[in-house]
Amino acid sequence: MNPKIIHDPEAMQHWSLTERAAGRILGLVPTMGYLHRGHLSLMETLRPQVDRLVVSIFVNPIQFGAGEDLDRYPRDWDGDLAACRNAGVDVIFAPEPAAVYPAEFQTAVSVARLTAGLCGALRPGHFDGVTTVVAKLFNLTLPHRACFGEKDYQQLAVIRRMVADLAFPVEIVAAPIVREDDGLALSSRNVYLSAADRHAALGLSRGLFAARKRYAAGERRAVELAGTAHRTIVDHAGDACALEYLVVCDARSLEEIVTVDRETVIALAAKVGRTRLIDNIILAANPEATGKNP
Ligand code: PAF
């Protein structure tokens, strides 16, 4: 069945209030469209947990910095509609920017320490844009549960913090990274990659996998794990992957650690050609206990 399409924020909120009043459990997958298998896995994760599944498609202007790719961000309405239909989505919420941010809009939601490092340090204002829009999307779609991908690991951590700090009655569900068979993490931005860029970009996941292998073999020094990842990336891609950061962090605080003695994330960002890519791998405190990332 075709999903119902709602553009108007008030109509969206009214629909959600009516469904909630009827006792139905609502789920939200927030997206910026150009849906790929990574988004589909978020929908598949949430679909069995809710009575009504809403997908928002909104390229959020305030989370893009000057000189970033807002103007060329890929869009494919027909493809997105077909993907949502196949995934059993009940409602697509696709508001216009002017309806989300009317001229008098002047509020921001900001999470402090968690946004200081990693992508937050390199993209000033980005996470304020994310938390502001996600807070508004929560208020318009009123979900009981919302699903976010571990690919945007810092985003997930920041949204969990916002939800806890501001007591949003929303359960955040995380879904693991979806990768191509050769390891490349799925991203809407992969469409920008030339064949040569794409080959170079493979170095990123290979670097992370090499670090994980050393971790599984008993290495616990963060500097050694980061070094292994770094060398693997350079061996594979030379200078075609320009790393912006490659850090070994506490999976909750996102603070850099010296020894991997707790749940840890190795996270990186790199420019490949003109395209900025991010990737990460989670190391469980007990390596036998994980299997989340291939
Ligand atoms: O991950 C994304 O696609 C966006 O950051 C989100 C969560 C939809 C907010 O615009």
Side-chain angles (χ1 to χ4, degrees), residues 17-259:
L17 285 168
T18 309
E19 291 293 319
R20 284 182 80 108
R24 285 192 266 274
I25 302 295
L26 309 186
L28 172 69
V29 175
T31 82
M32 299 206 298
Y34 209 69
L35 304 176
H36 52 64
R37 281 190 292 119
H39 297 110
L40 294 183
S41 85
L42 306 182
M43 299 176 203
E44 279 160 19
T45 301
L46 214 47
R47 181 66 276 187
Q49 301 185 21
V50 298
D51 300 315
R52 295 285 183 267
L53 181 60
V54 178
V55 169
S56 61
I57 297 181
F58 180 62
V59 181
N60 176 33
I62 68 165
Q63 71 186 72
F64 289 79
E68 291 190 355
D69 57 348
L70 173 61
D71 294 339
R72 63 184 187 119
Y73 197 82
R75 293 164 202 249
D76 176 13
W77 175 256
D78 292 341
D80 290 351
L81 184 58
C84 288
R85 189 188 306 121
N86 292 339
V89 170
D90 296 292
V91 170
I92 298 177
F93 176 46
E96 289 298 325
V100 178
Y101 303 117
E104 63 274 21
F105 189 93
Q106 51 191 295
T107 299
V109 178
S110 184
V111 172
R113 289 191 299 282
L114 271 176
T115 62
L118 307 155
C119 290
L122 294 154
R123 303 183 70 190
H126 167 70
F127 285 114
D128 288 0
V130 170
T131 41
T132 301
V133 82
V134 170
K136 185 150 187 177
L137 290 170
F138 283 174
N139 283 334
L140 293 174
T141 63
L142 302 170
H144 296 84
R145 292 186 180 155
C147 191
F148 294 84
E150 286 176 348
K151 159 93 180 344
D152 294 283
Y153 192 87
Q154 188 175 17
Q155 170 173 282
L156 174 63
V158 166
I159 287 166
R160 282 193 195 283
R161 190 73 260 147
M162 175 189 83
V163 163
D165 287 354
L166 299 183
F168 277 94
V170 181
E171 186 189 329
I172 301 301
V173 178
I177 294 179
V178 180
R179 297 180 183 279
E180 304 279 10
D181 289 344
D182 58 11
L184 184 70
L186 262 55
S187 162
S188 299
R189 291 188 168 101
N190 290 350
V191 71
Y192 300 147
L193 299 171
S194 68
D197 289 343
R198 197 194 174 290
H199 176 75
L202 277 183
L204 302 176
S205 52
R206 289 193 185 177
L208 293 171
F209 297 160
R212 185 180 51 194
K213 204 166 162 193
R214 272 200 81 186
Y215 173 73
E219 181 58 73
R220 293 293 180 268
R221 289 166 299 178
V223 68
E224 287 298 319
L225 297 171
T228 295
H230 191 253
R231 273 191 306 280
T232 308
I233 294 167
V234 173
D235 285 351
H236 178 86
D239 58 7
C241 281
L243 279 173
E244 290 186 345
Y245 64 77
L246 193 173
V247 286
V248 181
C249 297
D250 178 296
R252 281 173 202 282
S253 70
L254 299 186
E255 280 163 13
E256 283 194 56
I257 56 175
V258 174
T259 307

